[in-house]
Amino acid sequence: MKRKWLAALAALLLVLAGCTGKSDTTSGKGNNNEKPAAQKEDISKFPMTVKNDGKIIDGGVLKYGLVSDTPFEGTLSYAFYTGAPDAEILQFFDESLFRTNGDYEITNDGAATYELSDDKKTMTIRIKDNVNWHDGQPVTAEDLEYAYLVIGHKDYIGVRYGDPLIQGIVGMEEYHSGKADKISGIKVIDKKTLTITWKQANPSVLTGIWAYPLPKHYLKDIPIKDLAKSDKIRKNPIGFGPFKVKKIVPGESVEFVRNDDYWAGKPNLEGVILKVVSPQVVLQALKKGEIDVAGFPTDQYLNAKGTKNIQFIGKVDLAYNYIGFKLGHWDAKKQENVMDNPKFQNKKLRQAMAYAINNQEVADRLYHGLRFPATTLIPPSFPGYHDSSIKGYTYNPEKAKQLLDEAGYKDVDGDGLREDPNGKKFKINFLAMSGGDIAEPLAKFYMQCWKDVGLDVQLVDGRLAEFNSFYDMVEKDDPKVDVYAAAWGTGTNVDPYGLYGRDAMFNYSRWVNEKNDELLEKGHSEQAFDKEYRRKIYSEWQKLMNEEVPVIPTLYRSAIYAVNNRVANFTVDPSSKLTWKDVGVTSEQPEVEQYE
């Protein structure tokens, strides 16, 4: 642990050199101000599927590491969860009715099939006959309708209602306001068939339709306002996925057993044991065979590269890191964001803070190229929509200082720190999350970058926040938070409305803008079924967000998994048809790193 910390600290010193213009000294010949070249990796060179030609044994229990420095929350329902750890658990026992292709478009290969009407406003969904809940009851059309009735209900406390594909259903507004007891645009035709009709055609229906039914027979007696905290969600959840939940140790582990009646066929594995593993010990746990599979921290990859008993697979992730400004609050009564916090209303201040950060140094020195500078809010994992002509905010401290001067933030008393335009001390409270060896060095790096241009930035409460506390403060617009560092997994739907719409609860910066409203509406309009038109609209939107910078995209991410050599058929390839049903092991015991 001490060696890891020293290594992280050394990396921080290198990064700070890139931020301050100073360098650590090096021994030997040459210019002492030259930083040693960072060793860089290229995620495009990683395989996306493990290589294992061995025969899969009958049964076998896979051990899955949920890499986190904090307990998982345990809201085990797609309708209610908000954190990535819970999503990692959900993937084993529940799933969407639809499978997707390499472009993340729904297909008819899943538990249901679909047909879209000629006007593209109505979808007919037919659930296959052999799709059953873990208690043996069939998954029905009423179960999918029930999911929409829960999410659209006025007592629903989750965040999914902000999805325009949900709000845009005919009759949803009337149901949400309490004027109707049903959603008129959703019709159950028979036990396995229903139709959904939208007010307007929306191309996101092919990549973002909500297709996660809820077991109505199991949950209907629980008031909707109490569902998220109920034992049937948190302790005894059921789904229709390849594994059943057998035992949950809250926040720590989940034991799954095979669902022999899984609609797609009997899974290869007899069971899965998932347990929380700290980022600090994940590599050792993999080497010892204590876990078979884990999402692997990219900042640790160079230390792990070459480990004999594991393989690494990866891809460019559907995600990005960002720094957000708290510009207002969420109005729960109006169900929309209100931009009423004056502290960061001047976009020149936001732009200056973006120019002050050296993302390239962070990417190269701390992540060895496995994260790389983000330029827009649509990542390159959507190659058809990511606008590569936008260069974003490259490191330019002199430009940052110029913008701060123009905005009236000047060092009046000569202490090196800027006052606000009224001559008052200007302190920025920065919320950053704990986790991994570089969490604290990285937070200090950001603060040093901002200090170098004269801004006084301090951690909220003087420390990093653990995952659950962090998002509790962000979601509730805690007044102590001015700026926060977070990340988004975009999901497979390119439409950014759910993260940046006026009435999207996930719009944590609370930024609202009429041009933003206009472009986001056009991006999922009927006209946007024309991909070239949609590409043009999202290019305009990326340029708008780059100019207004309500959040600063900092790094695009690589998704890397470490997998024991005994594991077969595990993949991160979006075009692959392999699923958790197909994953197996070729030996009873995991391979263990041999030390000479």
Side-chain angles (χ1 to χ4, degrees):
M1 289 291 289
K2 185 176 181 181
R3 286 198 300 272
K4 285 185 177 181
W5 173 247
L6 289 173
L9 187 58
L12 170 65
L13 293 174
L14 289 172
V15 174
L16 287 182
C19 202
T20 62
K22 300 174 183 178
S23 176
D24 57 311
T25 58
T26 57
S27 60
K29 297 179 181 180
N31 185 348
N32 281 352
N33 289 325
E34 289 182 2
K35 297 186 293 291
Q39 184 174 342
K40 294 177 66 173
E41 301 290 335
D42 183 351
I43 190 62
S44 67
K45 303 290 176 60
F46 280 59
M48 287 194 282
T49 303
V50 295
K51 181 176 177 56
N52 185 346
D53 298 326
K55 183 180 179 181
I56 293 176
I57 64 173
D58 183 21
V61 176
L62 181 137
K63 293 174 285 188
Y64 184 94
L66 196 168
V67 181
S68 175
D69 72 330
T70 186
F72 60 80
E73 185 177 309
T75 306
L76 301 181
S77 165
Y78 280 108
F80 290 99
Y81 89 92
T82 56
D86 286 349
E88 283 195 66
I89 298 169
L90 279 162
Q91 67 178 323
F92 291 101
F93 76 90
D94 207 5
E95 61 188 35
S96 169
L97 289 169
F98 294 121
R99 295 277 167 85
T100 57
N101 61 23
D103 291 324
Y104 307 109
E105 297 168 332
I106 59 174
T107 70
N108 286 327
D109 298 328
T113 61
Y114 80 95
E115 292 179 10
L116 199 58
S117 62
D118 290 342
D119 66 2
K120 297 180 173 58
K121 291 183 180 180
T122 298
M123 180 177 282
T124 301
I125 299 172
R126 295 182 178 87
I127 302 170
K128 295 176 181 177
D129 289 337
N130 61 337
V131 182
N132 298 312
W133 296 107
H134 291 151
D135 62 0
Q137 293 295 312
V139 178
T140 66
E142 284 193 5
D143 291 327
L144 185 55
E145 178 196 37
Y146 176 62
Y148 282 95
L149 290 170
V150 167
I151 292 171
H153 198 275
K154 60 182 176 61
D155 291 339
Y156 171 69
I157 61 171
V159 297
R160 303 293 182 263
Y161 185 71
D163 185 343
L165 280 175
I166 290 177
Q167 293 187 4
I169 295 172
V170 171
M172 180 61 83
E173 186 177 346
E174 291 80 1
Y175 172 73
H176 184 67
S177 65
K179 295 177 182 177
D181 59 4
K182 284 281 190 177
I183 304 165
S184 60
I186 298 180
K187 299 188 184 301
V188 174
I189 307 302
D190 58 40
K191 189 173 182 180
K192 289 285 189 175
T193 309
L194 85 164
T195 61
I196 302 176
T197 300
W198 290 270
K199 289 180 280 188
Q200 296 178 333
N202 183 337
S204 291
V205 72
L206 298 177
T207 53
I209 183 171
W210 186 264
Y212 297 95
L214 288 170
K216 183 178 180 180
H217 69 282
Y218 189 63
L219 300 175
K220 65 181 180 180
D221 294 332
I222 303 172
I224 289 174
K225 65 181 176 64
D226 299 328
L227 265 177
K229 294 184 178 180
S230 69
D231 285 353
K232 288 184 176 182
I233 294 292
R234 300 182 65 87
K235 293 183 179 179
N236 304 297
I238 64 171
F240 62 94
F243 300 97
K244 303 177 182 181
V245 174
K246 180 180 180 181
K247 179 183 178 182
I248 297 177
V249 178
E252 295 181 14
S253 64
V254 183
E255 183 178 353
F256 302 94
V257 294
R258 179 164 55 202
N259 176 15
D260 290 337
D261 297 320
Y262 181 50
W263 68 269
K266 181 179 174 181
N268 286 322
L269 292 167
E270 188 176 310
V272 175
I273 296 174
L274 175 149
K275 64 177 181 178
V276 172
V277 179
S278 166
Q280 284 83 2
V281 301
V282 63
L283 178 55
Q284 290 305 311
L286 286 158
K287 287 182 175 182
K288 293 177 181 178
E290 294 172 352
I291 53 176
D292 292 299
V293 177
F296 198 76
T298 51
D299 57 289
Q300 295 187 36
Y301 175 71
L302 282 191
N303 291 333
K305 185 178 180 181
T307 303
K308 301 297 185 185
N309 68 319
I310 56 178
Q311 301 177 45
F312 290 96
I313 61 174
K315 65 173 183 174
V316 177
D317 205 358
L318 288 164
Y320 56 86
N321 287 63
Y322 72 97
I323 289 170
F325 298 95
K326 272 297 181 181
L327 302 173
H329 74 281
W330 172 255
D331 188 320
K333 187 174 183 180
K334 293 182 178 179
Q335 290 286 292
E336 66 177 36
N337 294 290
V338 178
M339 195 166 71
D340 58 355
N341 182 1
K343 192 165 187 175
F344 289 97
Q345 295 295 333
N346 191 326
K347 72 179 179 182
K348 286 187 176 181
L349 171 59
R350 305 196 298 267
Q351 291 171 341
M353 292 183 70
Y355 276 122
I357 300 171
N358 194 336
N359 291 314
Q360 188 67 60
E361 282 288 311
V362 175
D364 291 349
R365 301 285 171 178
L366 295 188
Y367 295 104
H368 317 293
L370 292 172
R371 293 190 184 180
F372 49 103
T375 52
T376 84
L377 296 175
I378 293 181
S381 40
F382 294 107
Y385 296 100
H386 170 71
D387 190 338
S388 60
S389 70
I390 298 172
K391 302 307 177 187
Y393 288 86
T394 54
Y395 178 55
N396 191 337
E398 295 309 312
K399 178 69 172 176
K401 292 174 184 177
Q402 176 189 333
L403 286 166
L404 289 169
D405 288 341
E406 291 174 4
Y409 295 85
K410 297 182 179 180
D411 180 8
V412 177
D413 56 15
D415 64 354
L417 298 176
R418 296 171 182 267
E419 284 76 37
D420 70 15
N422 297 317
K424 296 181 180 179
K425 286 188 179 296
F426 187 64
K427 179 185 174 184
I428 299 171
N429 296 308
F430 177 44
L431 183 67
M433 194 189 303
S434 62
D437 289 335
I438 68 168
E440 186 171 359
L442 185 57
K444 289 180 177 178
F445 161 69
Y446 288 137
M447 292 189 292
Q448 182 65 53
C449 283
W450 290 322
K451 184 178 180 181
D452 288 346
V453 297
L455 296 174
D456 181 15
V457 183
Q458 303 293 329
L459 286 174
V460 172
D461 296 329
R463 62 180 184 273
L464 302 181
E466 59 89 25
F467 182 90
N468 295 323
S469 298
F470 176 95
Y471 277 106
D472 188 57
M473 296 176 78
V474 170
E475 290 169 2
K476 293 180 179 177
D477 303 314
D478 191 306
K480 290 189 290 189
V481 180
D482 295 322
V483 180
Y484 61 97
W488 276 129
T490 63
T492 57
N493 185 5
V494 70
D495 185 357
Y497 189 99
L499 299 180
Y500 298 103
R502 183 180 292 265
D503 53 4
M505 194 183 294
F506 275 147
N507 181 358
Y508 290 147
S509 70
R510 311 308 181 198
W511 183 71
V512 293
N513 174 282
E514 290 185 3
K515 186 64 175 178
N516 180 56
D517 297 342
E518 175 192 334
L519 291 173
L520 290 179
E521 286 297 328
K522 287 181 176 179
H524 54 232
S525 66
E526 182 175 357
Q527 195 172 354
F529 275 95
D530 178 340
K531 288 188 178 181
E532 192 54 45
Y533 172 82
R534 199 181 200 198
R535 187 177 292 114
K536 177 177 175 293
I537 292 299
Y538 283 152
S539 176
E540 287 186 46
W541 180 79
Q542 289 169 83
K543 290 172 182 173
L544 172 70
M545 298 299 276
N546 184 69
E547 169 67 21
E548 295 292 333
V549 67
V551 304
I552 306 167
T554 55
L555 296 171
Y556 295 133
R557 302 158 66 107
S558 301
I560 295 179
Y561 279 82
V563 187
N564 192 276
N565 289 335
R566 76 170 181 144
V567 178
N569 293 342
F570 184 80
T571 185
V572 293
D573 184 350
S575 64
S576 174
K577 292 183 182 281
L578 293 173
T579 70
W580 275 111
K581 175 191 83 72
D582 304 296
V583 174
V585 292
T586 54
S587 63
E588 287 287 351
Q589 298 299 322
E591 284 193 24
V592 177
E593 177 82 333
Q594 300 297 319
Y595 297 94
E596 296 180 358

